[in-house]
Amino acid sequence: MVDSSKHTLLIVDDNPVNLQVIVDFLHSEGFRVLTARSGQSALERARYGQPDLILLDVQMPEMDGFETCRRLKSDPQTGAIPVIFMTALSETDYKIKGFEVGAVDYIIKPFQYAEVLARVTTHLRIYELTHNLEQLAERRTAELARSLERERHLAQELERALDKERELGRLKTQILDVVSHEFRTPLSVITQSSSILQNFYPRLTAEKRLRNFKRINEAVFAIDGLLSDVALINVRNNADINLKYASIQFTDLCQKLKSMLVTKVAESDRVRFMVEASDALLATDQDKVERILLQLVSNGLKFSEAPQIVDVELGISDDDHLVIQVSDSGIGIPENEQDKIFDLFYRAKNVGVRRGLGVGLHIVAQLVERLGGTVEAESTIGQGSTFSLRLPCEADI
Ligand code: ADP
């Protein structure tokens, strides 16, 4: 049943006596009632009062009921409100016209109160049900749109996962190709030198023995480097790189980096250190810094010729960043390739016979990004390259 106290009706009639009669009746039935005495004021009341139903007299001066109804229906703010026409018995021909302009029903004057009440409550109920249905349909449509969106999202994720999987498969094949090719050279050096040492040891001069041992040593370094690169290529995502921060004095860190280079780099006598005086305490992942520096220095040595020097400058910036510069006077990087050298497997056109996988700088870029720092290359072909590294390392004590 309709709860009349919850409904507002707008009654429109230019005749004050008629108006009063019907208003009194509907009031007594518990409805909230708004009134208007002309078509124009009916349009305004309807817009601001938002009644649930309008009872509209057909014959009114200036704007008649039909025109008022047409305007109510064409206004989006009032178009959905049901309109019931009030017609005199003699005007029943107007019924059709009333329906044509959008009315839902009519009541005939003089009023049969029971009929008025029945028609009003029926239309309120229909309106309420329609309104609820519309809301339900809206909710369902929104739910449907949401679940379609979810499905689209899932399909996209699946597509991305498949892309990743395909990319990984491609990468694996590429790694295997490059690695097996790159392993061959140092392995054959080891085979040759060790067989020379084994078969001709007594006849070799001390200098030749040393040269063969050195070649084996360098080949082992090369293989070691390749293996650690391969281990890092496997990192699919920066977040997979685990960080281990520890506090260390800047000077101690520089000392550690120096000793690391001496043990891990074959031509460490070509490396020159310049360390700024600072008693700063840093918080950083030392292994990662070592790995990055080792890569940049090895590249500097590889892409220059003995006895050219590779300079390593270490300092602390005003904004508490560890700043490392590695400069060489080697072959340089062609200008149009400088933005690609951090890409996986990218090797510039001028590398010649120098060996490499093209993964070292990619790993550097990944590690630096994970550490929240930056790395940049400046290079002039034929004159050399400088790699500048900035890593945030403020100790939180
Ligand atoms: P790789 O050294 O195995 O080729 P990297 O990823 O370390 O691979 O470097 C990518 C490319 O960047 C190198 O192939 C080379 O073209 C260029 N490059 C890196 N460092 C230097 C350097 N110090 N001087 C000149 N070119 C360099």
Side-chain angles (χ1 to χ4, degrees), residues 159-388:
E159 190 51 41
R160 267 200 294 274
L162 283 173
D163 273 354
K164 252 192 185 166
E165 218 43 50
R166 278 193 285 267
E167 167 74 8
L168 213 66
R170 204 177 52 73
L171 218 62
K172 271 184 188 150
T173 322
Q174 210 168 346
I175 291 169
L176 279 178
D177 280 358
V178 180
V179 169
S180 56
H181 178 256
E182 286 301 313
F183 267 43
R184 228 165 272 145
T185 320
L187 281 176
S188 74
V189 168
I190 294 171
T191 317
Q192 275 172 19
S193 290
S194 58
S195 105
I196 291 172
L197 287 169
Q198 197 179 2
N199 296 323
F200 308 107
Y201 194 83
R203 281 194 271 150
L204 292 176
T205 60
E207 192 195 336
K208 279 194 177 152
R209 285 177 193 163
L210 190 64
R211 191 162 53 212
N212 279 293
F213 277 124
K214 244 184 152 174
R215 289 177 67 201
I216 292 175
N217 205 21
E218 278 168 18
V220 170
F221 269 128
I223 290 176
D224 185 49
L226 285 173
L227 281 177
S228 48
D229 283 356
V230 172
L232 272 168
I233 306 176
N234 236 351
V235 173
R236 277 202 225 179
N237 186 324
N238 257 352
D240 293 345
I241 304 174
N242 287 324
L243 295 180
K244 271 183 279 160
Y245 278 92
S247 302
I248 186 166
Q249 288 289 337
F250 170 69
T251 41
D252 293 344
L253 175 69
C254 294
Q255 202 49 52
K256 278 189 79 172
L257 293 174
K258 258 189 201 175
S259 349
M260 176 277 298
L261 285 179
V262 171
T263 44
K264 292 203 171 165
V265 168
E267 295 175 281
S268 60
D269 50 333
R270 285 175 56 209
V271 183
R272 182 168 60 198
F273 269 88
M274 275 161 281
V275 177
E276 185 188 289
S278 165
D279 58 0
L281 182 66
L282 315 178
T284 190
D285 183 326
Q286 294 163 37
D287 289 346
K288 304 290 185 296
V289 178
E290 280 188 8
R291 179 69 191 80
I292 294 167
L293 184 64
L294 177 62
Q295 186 64 50
L296 296 180
V297 171
S298 308
N299 281 359
L301 292 168
K302 177 163 67 173
F303 293 111
S304 62
E305 297 294 336
Q308 285 173 334
I309 294 296
V310 172
D311 276 314
V312 178
E313 286 178 55
L314 295 140
I316 299 287
S317 71
D318 291 342
D319 57 350
D320 294 316
H321 280 61
L322 174 63
V323 179
I324 304 180
Q325 278 206 340
V326 180
S327 318
D328 63 65
S329 328
I331 62 169
I333 304 159
E335 208 180 323
N336 61 343
E337 295 185 81
Q338 287 178 11
D339 57 341
K340 304 195 189 97
I341 53 170
F342 292 98
D343 293 351
L344 187 57
F345 298 127
Y346 194 85
R347 308 196 72 215
K349 301 283 172 290
N350 63 333
V351 293
V353 294
R354 291 172 179 83
R355 288 200 307 269
L357 291 177
V359 300
L361 284 188
H362 176 71
I363 290 164
V364 165
Q366 277 195 315
L367 292 174
V368 170
E369 193 187 322
R370 181 74 177 97
L371 290 166
T374 56
V375 57
E376 284 167 7
E378 251 186 66
S379 184
T380 309
I381 193 105
Q383 289 186 22
S385 312
T386 298
F387 285 81
S388 308

Side-chain angles (χ1 to χ4, degrees), residues 50-66:
Q50 289 293 308
D52 301 300
L53 188 135
I54 300 172
L55 288 173
L56 185 57
D57 188 24
V58 174
Q59 282 205 320
M60 291 188 293
E62 289 164 29
M63 194 189 297
D64 68 6
F66 298 129

